[in-house]
Amino acid sequence: MNELIRLEGITKKFGEHLIIPTLDLTINDGEFVTLLGPSGCGKTTLLRMIAGLETPTTGKVILDGKDITKLPPYKRNVNMVFQNYALFPHMTVTENIHFGLKMQGVPNEEAQERINQVLYLTQLEQLRDRYPSQMSGGQQQRVAIARALVNSPKVLLLDEPLGALDYQLRKKLQLELKNLQRGLGLTFVFVTHDQEEALTMSDRIVIMHDGVIQQDGDPNGIYHHPKNTFVARFIGESNFFDIGSDTYALRPEKLNLCPEDEENADHPDPKFFGTVVDIVFYGTIDKVFIRLDNTNQTVIAYQYFDDVHRWQADDRVGIWWYDRDGVKVEKE
Amino acid sequence: MKNGKLLIAPSMLWLGFFFIIPMLIVVAVSFAARTPYGQVVFNWNINNYLRFLEPLYLSIFAQTLIVALVTTVVTILMGYPLAYYIAQLPKRWQQPGLILCMIPFWINFLIRSYAWVIILRAQGVLNTFLMKAGFIEQPLQLLYNEGAVMLGMIYSLLPFMILPIYVSIEQLDRRLLEAASDLGAAPFTAFRKITLPLTMFLGHVRGTGRNGWRQVRPGGEPDPEPVPLRP
Amino acid sequence: MQKTWRSHLLLAYSLAILAFLYVPLVILAMYSFNDSRINAVWTGFTFRWYEQLFNNRRVLEALINTLIIGFASTIVSTTLGTIAAIALHRYKYKMQSVINGLVYLPILIPEIVMGLSLLVLFSQVQMPLGKGSLILAHITFCLSFVVITVGARLDGMRSDYEQAASDLYATPWQCFRYITLPLIMPGIVAGALIAFTLSIDDFVISFFVAGPNSTTLPLYIYAMVKRGISPEINALSTLMMVVEIILVLLAEFLQPSHKVKAED
């Protein structure tokens, strides 16, 4: 895969406040890369640097082999879908989409053709003469994407584009976006704080915290092999066990429970013992909360609807797992 | 746009030349003296300020304070319930309510003053009505007294008491604050229109009366001195 | 029960206060149609005073002066004020508080002080008093109102529109021309209407800096009132009231909150 964007030794200070200590990142052509992290982790700042809406304090932004660090946004062939869409309220859908082409001086005939194409692609043909205020959130979101896509950018930057939508619509648009990206073979850089969204859509996830990349990899690897406690905690649910000087992360579904006094079991010996404190119904599973002996730590295991043994509060349990499931993680 | 910051320059230069410099000249002149021919001589003295302490000016000052005080109390008594009423209306009626209170302010104060002259003068609406109804036989002297002055002040200032009270009642509600700022620079205007007439009134009592209230002032006030600097 | 009783009383009181505000103005307007010159007895409906007004050469001169001064000072103050508001919105200045002070001070300062000081200035620089001096004075006191009105509109505008435009290949000038300007236009028009209203309404400052052949309508009304009560004053006042109310309502409806919903 060809390298498309390279961020080299980026730092960013707002006044005295250090947002990004120092950061390197490469994004390849045709990738769907998600920058994931809690709010304030610097992911949006990074995205805006690629767009040219922020300048790094030090470091370089390289697009397609060219240093664009100092280039203003209107001279960069990248386009952005803004968090609240930022559709121009005084323009219709068509005028909004036409805006970028008009500014670049694209001849009218060609512009019309390209506009029609993206209108078709985003299923907005019926709404072409509406004003943003006359459309639903999901429709506005499509216009924002069409308005960016029509310019055939080298990269499409998306800043929490689904954040303002309700759950059902978000699920639907996640799939649409992913299909659009695959169909066009475009590079997407997507910013979100929603880990589920990141796992569903991305080819690659970059997890950030306090301006530092915590882990960079494909969704599968990130989920199953978190590098440190932050990643393990941020993506999905994790339990942490200290064994010697090492810390191991275990997903709840990897934890197995057995009665404390079980003998001659055909599984590895329990590593920890504890008391069930609560059981909470979650549809297909029940979450079993267990307080470990000798610590105040509570861990979570799953009990499936077809499990023969049903746990009760105050039951004494042993906790065991296969060694291959325990992931050794760095402490934060 | 590196030079974009300079966009502020034209306005600042304008205000500097037509606002700040004139003010500074006025301050400078206040420390000057006047020759018998009306020329200004800059011999730096505070005589103009010392004249404030003359009994005539002191009594005028006291009179002004009393009128200001009465006006304030009465406008609060009149304005507060109305402001409160507007504040507890459904949200979409609040803005029209406020506009209704503010419209009289936008009408020229000469016209507003003149309206009261029509009502209060000897052959005015009120006297005519009272005589026709048989309550009185001779027209009452309603104009040209302290009461008329206060009535005029209250009438002019009432709208500007209503708005700040309304804003403070609704201060906790951010959305309503927005509605208030939506009325243009309303709080500032209010301040201006409260401060202004009081200070103007001071000037007026001194005999430089240059506004419509001249009509409701007692007659026989000395005519204004000519402004010495007028060429 | 007590609660409704109280709220009825409050309503009655509020209506009484509103009546206090409006009845004098209504009476003023009513008597501009009264057929009697001298007293307050209603003797019949007439347009006579309006006819006399429109045939009065001096009234028409004052009207023309007022309009010339109003338009000239509106155009200049709106242009300067809009540019200043944009600069203040976009940039942070080291002397921000000084600049803000300079913008707000003319609104806070008593008109009589501003009128006097402008007169002093014009006499110091030997500028003849007339329409020119009136226009300069009116621009000065209108400027701040425009800066504040346009500034409110700019502050109410989301900043990401300009960023989006810039992302869509618009140069800073194009961004201003196609995005910022159309979006703040209602604010600019409102500012211009306020400036125009203030200008045609101004008496105090105009009184100081007016010269021969530059009588404006408020100055003319003052001169008429000094000569005595006449229904023509009522007629002229009524016309001015109507124009002022229309201008203010127009400016009001152009202010941000009426459009906020449509834009979000």
Side-chain angles (χ1 to χ4, degrees), chain A residues 40-177:
Chain A
C41 71
K43 56 190 192 300
T44 297
T45 310
L46 214 56
L47 192 77
R48 291 167 61 85
M49 278 181 194
I50 301 173
L53 297 168
E54 305 280 1
T55 19
T57 310
T58 61
K60 279 188 197 166
V61 181
I62 290 159
L63 176 69
D64 219 4
K66 266 182 280 176
D67 184 347
I68 58 162
T69 318
K70 296 272 188 294
L71 232 48
Y74 54 92
K75 289 188 182 160
R76 301 181 180 204
N77 194 8
V78 297
N79 289 107
M80 182 138 160
V81 176
F82 287 78
Q83 194 163 14
N84 293 302
Y85 321 132
L87 299 180
F88 306 130
H90 57 304
M91 296 184 189
T92 62
V93 169
T94 314
E95 285 163 351
N96 262 286
I97 297 174
H98 190 192
F99 187 80
L101 299 174
K102 193 163 118 190
M103 294 302 110
Q104 293 174 97
V106 173
N108 220 5
E109 229 168 82
E110 186 195 334
Q112 284 313 320
E113 203 171 301
R114 283 164 73 174
I115 292 169
N116 286 335
Q117 254 172 20
V118 290
L119 283 174
Y120 171 76
L121 209 61
T122 48
Q123 301 162 44
L124 284 167
E125 290 127 314
Q126 309 296 317
L127 305 172
R128 56 190 308 150
D129 294 322
R130 293 259 185 105
Y131 283 92
S133 57
Q134 302 167 318
M135 292 189 293
S136 70
Q139 291 167 339
Q140 291 185 35
Q141 213 271 337
R142 282 198 189 128
V143 179
I145 289 169
R147 186 176 72 171
L149 279 182
V150 78
N151 304 293
S152 326
K154 289 185 172 148
V155 188
L156 189 65
L157 308 171
L158 303 105
D159 184 9
E160 309 231 6
L162 308 174
L165 304 171
D166 63 57
Y167 184 77
Q168 295 295 334
L169 193 56
R170 210 159 67 216
K171 287 275 140 205
K172 183 168 170 269
L173 284 172
Q174 281 172 10
L175 286 178
E176 281 186 19
L177 258 182

Side-chain angles (χ1 to χ4, degrees), chain A residues 216-237:
Chain A
D216 177 352
D218 65 291
N220 207 12
I222 286 206
Y223 186 82
H224 291 293
H225 302 283
K227 258 172 76 181
N228 58 28
T229 49
F230 176 80
V231 176
R233 214 192 308 266
F234 194 73
I235 300 275
E237 253 174 328

Side-chain angles (χ1 to χ4, degrees), chain A residues 178-211:
Chain A
K178 180 68 199 163
N179 290 335
L180 193 69
Q181 186 262 343
R182 277 212 194 107
L184 297 170
L186 249 176
T187 311
F188 274 34
V189 183
F190 189 95
V191 159
T192 184
H193 63 262
D194 181 341
Q195 43 112 354
E196 196 185 323
E197 194 167 279
L199 291 173
T200 319
M201 299 172 77
S202 323
D203 297 327
R204 192 177 138 204
I205 299 176
V206 177
I207 298 181
M208 293 182 64
H209 182 47
D210 290 339

Side-chain angles (χ1 to χ4, degrees), chain B residues 5 100 108 114 155 192 210, chain C residues 21-22 93 201 203 234:
Chain B
K5 278 196 161 192
L100 207 58
N108 194 300
Y114 176 70
Y155 185 68
R192 166 187 181 230
R210 301 205 182 283
Chain C
L21 283 175
Y22 280 93
Y93 292 90
D201 186 63
F203 169 73
N234 290 41

Side-chain angles (χ1 to χ4, degrees), chain A residues 90-91, chain C residues 153 175-186:
Chain A
H90 57 304
M91 296 184 189
Chain C
R153 179 85 197 174
C175 180
F176 175 75
R177 166 75 185 75
Y178 294 109
I179 306 299
T180 316
L181 193 61
L183 288 179
I184 63 170
M185 198 40 108

Side-chain angles (χ1 to χ4, degrees), chain C residues 30-248:
Chain C
M30 222 171 71
Y31 279 91
S32 71
F33 299 105
N34 186 12
D35 205 9
S36 160
R37 176 170 273 281
I38 30 165
N39 55 39
V41 182
W42 185 265
T43 52
F45 185 88
T46 180
F47 280 120
R48 188 145 57 100
W49 314 118
Y50 288 90
E51 274 167 36
Q52 279 187 15
L53 209 57
F54 288 118
N55 290 323
N56 184 333
R57 199 176 49 84
R58 296 189 57 202
V59 171
L60 293 179
E61 266 170 29
L63 174 67
I64 289 167
N65 284 340
T66 306
L67 291 178
I68 291 174
I69 294 162
F71 281 121
S73 49
T74 299
I75 290 168
V76 178
S77 63
T78 305
T79 311
L80 284 180
T82 302
I83 293 171
I86 290 169
L88 279 174
H89 178 73
R90 189 164 297 172
Y91 304 104
K92 278 217 159 63
Y93 292 90
K94 279 189 196 126
M95 313 233 292
Q96 191 85 30
S97 56
V98 176
I99 293 173
N100 284 338
L102 207 49
V103 169
Y104 288 124
L105 213 54
I107 296 177
L108 302 178
I109 217 83
E111 281 170 298
I112 200 162
V113 176
M114 194 191 261
L116 176 73
S117 65
L118 278 166
L119 173 62
V120 172
L121 176 81
F122 292 142
S123 68
Q124 289 289 317
V125 300
Q126 317 243 309
M127 176 165 173
L129 297 180
K131 284 201 260 303
S133 61
L134 274 168
I135 290 172
L136 291 178
H138 284 208
I139 292 169
T140 309
F141 70 73
C142 289
L143 188 56
S144 301
F145 284 93
V146 176
V147 176
I148 290 167
T149 315
V150 177
R153 179 85 197 174
L154 278 163
D155 290 342
M157 192 179 84
R158 276 164 36 188
S159 61
D160 54 0
Y161 294 138
E162 286 175 346
Q163 293 177 4
S166 164
D167 182 63
L168 292 165
Y169 313 101
T171 61
W173 167 249
Q174 288 172 321
C175 180
F176 175 75
R177 166 75 185 75
Y178 294 109
I179 306 299
T180 316
L181 193 61
L183 288 179
I184 63 170
M185 198 40 108
I188 296 175
V189 175
L193 285 171
I194 288 172
F196 189 69
T197 313
L198 286 170
S199 171
I200 64 170
D201 186 63
D202 177 71
F203 169 73
V204 177
I205 294 171
S206 302
F207 187 89
F208 279 91
V209 298
N213 299 321
S214 63
T215 303
T216 61
L217 282 178
L219 292 174
Y220 188 77
I221 291 178
Y222 178 67
M224 280 168 98
V225 173
K226 254 168 73 174
R227 264 185 275 123
I229 309 302
S230 86
E232 280 140 307
I233 308 178
N234 290 41
L236 186 53
S237 301
T238 305
L239 289 179
M240 280 193 71
M241 279 200 298
V242 170
V243 171
E244 283 171 352
I245 290 174
I246 290 173
L247 286 175
V248 170

Side-chain angles (χ1 to χ4, degrees), chain A residues 290-309:
Chain A
I290 302 135
R291 184 157 51 241
L292 301 185
D293 294 346
N294 306 324
T295 59
N296 268 333
Q297 204 187 337
T298 303
V299 297
I300 300 169
Y302 291 162
Q303 138 178 305
Y304 297 89
F305 69 95
D306 55 352
D307 281 355
V308 181
H309 192 100

